Amino acid sequence: MRTWSLLGVVTLLIAQESWAFKAHDFKTCSQSGFCRRGRDLSARAKEAKSWTSPYSVDPSSINISSNNAVFSAAVKSSLYPEVNFGLEVRVQEDGVARVRMDEVGGLRKRYDEAAGWALIEEPTISTAIKWTTSKKDIRAVYGEKKDIEVVVAFEPLRVSLLRGGKEQIVLNGQGLLHMEHFRTKVEAATATEEPEPEGAESPEGVESPEVEDQVVVEVPNPRAWFEGHEEDALWEETFGSWTDSKPKGPESLSLDINFPNHGTVYGIPQHATRLALPTTKGDDSTFTDPYRLYNSDVFEYLASSPVSLYGSIPLMHAHSTESTVAVFHLVGSETWIDVSHASEKSTETHWVSESGILDTFLLPGPTAEDVFKQYARLTGTPVMPTQWSLGYHQCRWNYVSSDDVRTVQKRFDEEDMPVDVFWLDIEYSEGHKYFMWNDKTFPDPVEMTNDVAVNGRKMVVIVDPHLKREDNYPAFKQASELGILVKPKSGEGEYEGWCWPGSSSWTDFFNPASWDWWKSMFKIQAGEKWSWTQSTTDVHIWNDMNEPSVFNGPEITMPKDNIHHGGWEHRDIHNINGMLFSNLTYQAVAERTDPPTRPFVLTRAFFAGSQRFGAMWTGDNLGTWEHMAVGVKMVLANGLGGLSFAGSDVGGFFGNPEPEMLVRWYQVGAFAPFFRAHAHIDTKRREPFLLDAPYKGIVKDILRLRYTLLPMWYTAFRETSVTGMPILRPQFVMFPKDKAGFDIDDQYYIGSSGLLVKPVTAKDVREAKVYLAEDQVYYDYFTNHAYRGAAKGKEITVAAELDQLPLFLRGGSVLATRERPRRSSPLMKHDPFTLRVALSKAGSARGELYLDDGETYDHQKGHFVWRAFVAERAGKKGLRLHSADLGAARPAEAVDGAALAVYDPANAFTAGIAQVRVEKVVVVGLAGKPSSVKVEGGAELVWEYTPGVAAGDKKEGTASILTIKDPKVLIHKDWAIVIQ
Amino acid sequence: MIPWVFLVCSLPLSAAVVPTKTLGVSPDLSSKYVPSKAGTWRCLDGSKEISWDFVNDDSCDCLDGSDEPGTGACPDTQFYCQNEGHIGTYIPSSRVNDGLCEVQCCDGSDERSGVCPNLCKEIGDAYKKKRDAELKIQREGAKVRSSYIAYAHQEKKRLEAEAQALAEQIKIKEKEVQRLQDIAERTESLSQAALEQKKKSPLYQSLLAHNNALKSLQREHNKHLEREKALGEILDALRTGYNPNYQDMAVLEAVRGWEELAGLPHINDVGKETEGSEESKEEDAVIEEELEEGALSADDLQREVPGLLDTDYISLMLEHEEHIQAPVEGSILFDLTSYMPDSVIPAYEDFKDILISWLQKFGIVSADGSAADSSRAQQALHDAENELDSLKKNMETAESDAKEIFNIHGFGAKGEWKKLDGTCLEKDTGDYTYEVCLFKEVKQKPNHGGTTFSLGKFESWNPSSEVEPGRPEFYQKQVYKHGTRCWNGPERNVVLKLTCGVENAILTVQELEKCEYEFTGTSPALCLSVQENGTKNGQPREEL
């Protein structure tokens, strides 16, 4: 009996173990050779009494381009005088300074194509720059106020960006710059005979397999002060059962980037952590390992960790009450980033990448808005999504058959719950051969899609990047014949790994020959070659597993010594890889029709620039409160990284959330740009119609609220499609001078709508605290209760019962909503609008509305409606609400790459919605009962007034409400309503 | 409440056709949609009085939404389609003026005029055809159902008759048992004294101890066998069911370990049959355990131990004595006279004749009387008692079966399901054949080799508290529970959804979530006769 009970305990332990992050699957810094070397370098610098970077500019080599815009020079390292480096600094038109450094004339070439994939175009270099050289340095002064300065100090090499004489960003200020040059492997035959004594200098005291790789160098090493005594994992590295052959030897890049005057940093998604990045170094650091950027399929990731996740954006924002700046360190290889604060006011970061050139952009700001714009100029703005993709997405691994899909749709309709998209995970496919329907369970995929589409809905179907190695699988066969599959380290043949279908290979999207082929796969019309004819234009695509996830690979991904197009190793391009897949899928789906129509593609892996190709989600989260909470922060962080179209799986991918958690999760999801419920195959079904009362009704109301607010979301996407401003705006973006808001990451504003939301992400919560950073009135969205903020910041406490979501409309906003429930968003096309005018303290309000067909690219030709609704004081006590045409006023910045010269208000889209009107106007916070309400030039309207607190009062309480019935003004026309 | 300020409406900018005031109003409410003399109208909930002009003006005024029956302007209201030529019906307001022509609204009244054609004739005809086809199936099914009901009645009669017959047999058997008991008691008491003495023999005592030990060993052995079997099943399921892609070394090790132990090929190699596999089979054969001389193999044990345990030690002891000592004097039974007072001997002789003839008749003693002993008498009694018990059980079963036929939780109030008790239906889905034995068990049998799993045993009809047991809809769902446990998951369960059909058949099988199966099927047992069905709610069934 005893043995049995013991066994029971063991099984229990194993069972618990299996429900957790598999730490041993992923490297820590100390298990990664180049990270270890980088951190050791930093540790030596810290311990040294004096420390000077060995890198310096050779002043005799300075060259300034003929147009005076580009400065370049040779850089030498005192460690290796025989090795040559080249430095180049350019200032772009928008003030961004780009610093590039590469080894010149080396044994091999460092990877230098990351910019080619991430940037939308070669940035325009400012010609208004003048470089001035002195003995010690060279500098350029620029900016409207001539207050920005880029200084390159020669010895040691140090690059800094200053504003108003204050240092904003400093490169190599701590002397941690180190570009490991290419070298020939010296077979240290004698050295290996004398193994290192046990325990000596084992890095960080961790016994790890690759310690064996170290080679003791006997002779006194003049470079040891900088590089250390031992050669650490330069030529080979073992992790678990995998050995990375490192044929190119060491080529890592270490760089310290300091923000001497910025005490808070944000960005470098994707990590499950707070928005204001916690420290990884220094006393009492939150984390002990650096943040890692190495796109990884992390099973059941931790809710608070610097471990790398599915995507990487090497962009970091540094913020203070004085300014916001950012660095974009454009590297596609594995990168580790340490963050520490020498003082409360400064931030030191240290970036160590495995390969690639130094290509770093210094974004001068000085406001967060400027930084977003500057970053968007580099990598592009988020694409204007299909309108329906902002609706509710219902997903599950898996809806098991076409009848299952139909039944789920039927149940939504029976409950009159809106939904736009039904999703199919991997089990639709025969043997996980994507595109190939399982004809037993999905015998009629086209009819099924049509049955969904008849209600204005769409299907999203998964297509992963791994191709089952089976000759009867057209996708694999064609790719294999074209020779466009990723190659193993030999550079010959096809790399073979394991994923869902078993033995698989991966298309090398770095190979241009793969592009047309991939697009051809999605053609619906039958052609000569196989294509996905069992599909319709209502089918859109989900790209999962594109880190890439390889079940039997090192760290669940590809070996780094795999070979891609151009002979580059996988290590060079790993973080970029996933973006190319969603990029090509995006193009493929768009080009199914002629002219192309807007595609929807969801990706799990991403890189800088992925915002151009659709939406992302935060991967396989857990159904826990912690994950719900951190998901909000992760979506905010993605927005800062340019990827606004983001969301977390509602309900949590793993586990069976109890009804309370599910309700809260719907509240979270409904206020994320991408709103999808998803569930693991082992979970119970949890579609909203399965809930019992009262939960079902609450979720139904949340779904409907999302649809009511769809015009707001679409309008917010318009803005970011032009400016790159994140859709979800954390406190520091809205109130950059309010220090108390810098760490707040659990409440946010949506676009420029004036909506402020604080989702509840904890159990048994019945009230919430909301921080108001300004002296302004905020109205509870549901009750119109007026709350007052304060200039120095104020926390208010509001009720947050399960059916209550803390949602506020900031005084001074006009919100356009559509209040009629429909089955799906396309069916709302002709519904009238309600305008909610939330008066500011000063008695005014403003809001915008953007509409287009939501599907084609006609909006780029000017087929849209873009209005401003402005409420201003008129006369002594009156208020005038009018609608103005923003399209006509600002055609060049209307939407999504449509730099129009003129806007034609009589465009085809407008004609199609000519009759769409405003059915109701609600004015909140009027000081008293009006005497008359009229459309300007028209007769008196029908209205109702409920007295209450006025916007300009100091009081709190339910605000006064004026409801104007059906003014019958058209949404696309200029009009004015005058309230006396 | 501050009343609406009534003033002349601004000129309609919209060119939309203003719907009539009673659009979307059902006939039984149309009387309420009339203006007051003052040209006003009161919301149906009485909460508000509004201008008659505001009714169906595409702008919501009433809290209950009753002012917009025809426009969809008020959420969560109902729109009535007249569907002239067909059947009128309600649709939710969310479907009014959404640009789609609702199938339910064949008159096209759910959209602004000119958008949707009136298809009531076509749809009505198609509906009628469909309905006729359904009715035909229902009628045919109902015939079968009546036969089921008739069967249930016959079955009840048969069972009752059987119970009665059994009752008579029981009476006879009881008498027989009574007699045998008498005999046994007597033989027992006669031999008791001698036996007791013999039982004290160390050999007998030792035999008992051995027997006891053997019994215990057998019990423990069986326990272990069962446990091993269960573990084997779990490991088999793990072996065939684990996902090698997860690269979970612990699982992989467990699978490999089991394969080695159980002499199975590695699961990834299954199907890759090569010459090599034959070799390994030969090797397996060689490895067979070598046993000590005379030792029992596992199979021998299974066969022989029960026999050993059933040994009648008393007989054995007696035989043993016979074997060792001089031939025993005549059997106690035949030599009792020597112990008896003379006066009783004549009566005893009579009794003895009867007794012996009985014993001979039952084969307990041979005619020569030499082999009779008390244990044989016991055996006869025991057998007779067993027979009696089994008769009684059979009768009880027959009686309760007869009663159960008309249990609403069992075969239905009319016993219409009795005929299908244990009927097995199969559905081949390619990889698996699913077998539903109604009221018994559902099984998943792999078509390409592997383990058959139980998906659950019959648990109940529709367990929903919203469905009243005995109602027709109660019998549209069967639940089978506690099937084989999923690896790392729950027990498998099945919900079988049934509708009226001419055949008993399984139509679809879906695993909607892990280990939760939904089957659909048809059965004539659900086909109520048209009259029954039509009047079940006191009104004709008119659904679309």
Side-chain angles (χ1 to χ4, degrees), chain B residues 181-443:
Chain B
Q181 208 160 15
D182 288 349
I183 294 166
E185 272 166 20
R186 279 164 207 267
T187 49
E188 181 97 339
S189 60
L190 290 176
S191 59
Q192 207 59 42
L195 262 182
E196 284 309 313
Q197 180 55 31
K198 289 187 206 283
K199 277 185 185 171
K200 284 181 187 147
S201 127
L203 185 67
Y204 180 77
Q205 290 302 324
S206 161
L207 276 173
L208 278 191
H210 276 89
N211 177 274
N212 201 16
L214 193 57
K215 249 187 211 157
S216 311
L217 269 175
Q218 192 199 31
R219 192 181 60 236
E220 287 305 309
H221 178 66
N222 286 342
K223 239 196 250 172
H224 285 296
L225 279 183
E226 264 172 45
R227 185 164 277 168
E228 189 196 308
K229 193 169 160 244
L231 281 171
E233 276 169 11
I234 290 170
L235 286 164
D236 276 335
L238 172 65
R239 173 170 169 267
T240 51
Y242 87 108
N243 185 339
N245 297 338
Y246 289 139
Q247 292 301 317
D248 189 326
M249 292 317 288
V251 174
L252 198 62
E253 282 312 305
V255 170
R256 287 202 176 128
W258 169 238
E259 283 166 345
E260 199 177 321
L261 190 68
L264 298 163
H266 187 48
I267 184 73
N268 288 350
D269 302 332
V270 173
K272 292 188 204 163
E273 295 279 337
T274 55
E275 313 89 86
S277 62
E278 269 173 42
E279 277 174 41
S280 62
K281 265 181 210 162
E282 274 169 41
E283 276 170 47
D284 286 349
V286 176
I287 301 172
E288 205 162 288
E289 234 178 315
E290 273 186 44
L291 295 169
E292 243 177 83
E293 183 73 29
L296 299 178
S297 71
D299 288 347
D300 297 341
L301 273 175
Q302 287 292 343
R303 255 194 321 273
E304 303 208 350
V305 172
L308 282 173
L309 284 173
D310 278 353
T311 311
D312 181 343
Y313 288 108
I314 296 173
S315 311
L316 188 66
M317 188 168 61
L318 294 174
E319 274 173 43
H320 176 74
E321 278 179 3
E322 232 171 298
H323 180 76
I324 306 256
Q325 299 167 0
V328 202
E329 314 94 77
S331 173
I332 310 164
L333 185 63
F334 297 91
D335 208 14
L336 273 176
T337 43
S338 53
Y339 303 93
M340 288 183 182
D342 289 353
S343 57
V344 255
I345 288 173
Y348 171 68
E349 285 295 340
D350 287 346
F351 173 65
K352 192 178 95 173
D353 287 346
I354 299 166
L355 178 64
I356 287 173
S357 76
W358 267 101
L359 290 176
Q360 279 169 345
K361 194 173 163 193
F362 286 102
I364 296 167
V365 296
S366 57
D368 65 5
S370 62
D373 62 52
S374 66
S375 67
R376 298 225 172 136
Q378 282 293 350
Q379 189 60 43
L381 173 62
H382 187 66
D383 288 350
E385 276 173 345
N386 279 350
E387 278 166 42
L388 179 61
D389 276 354
S390 120
L391 285 172
K392 279 182 175 165
K393 262 185 210 139
N394 287 348
M395 188 182 78
E396 272 169 31
T397 311
E399 279 176 344
S400 76
D401 279 1
K403 272 187 211 150
E404 272 303 299
I405 291 177
F406 300 105
N407 181 343
I408 54 167
H409 291 280
F411 303 113
K414 298 195 170 170
E416 66 271 30
W417 293 95
K418 176 63 190 172
K419 172 84 179 167
L420 299 176
D421 185 14
T423 299
C424 295
L425 311 172
E426 285 198 340
K427 173 75 184 173
D428 185 347
T429 63
D431 290 341
Y432 300 100
T433 296
Y434 292 90
E435 183 191 74
V436 179
C437 295
L438 292 166
F439 302 96
K440 300 285 186 283
E441 190 173 14
V442 183
K443 285 181 180 157

Side-chain angles (χ1 to χ4, degrees), chain A residues 47 154 156 189 213 853:
Chain A
E47 279 161 27
F154 297 155
D213 303 332
D853 69 22

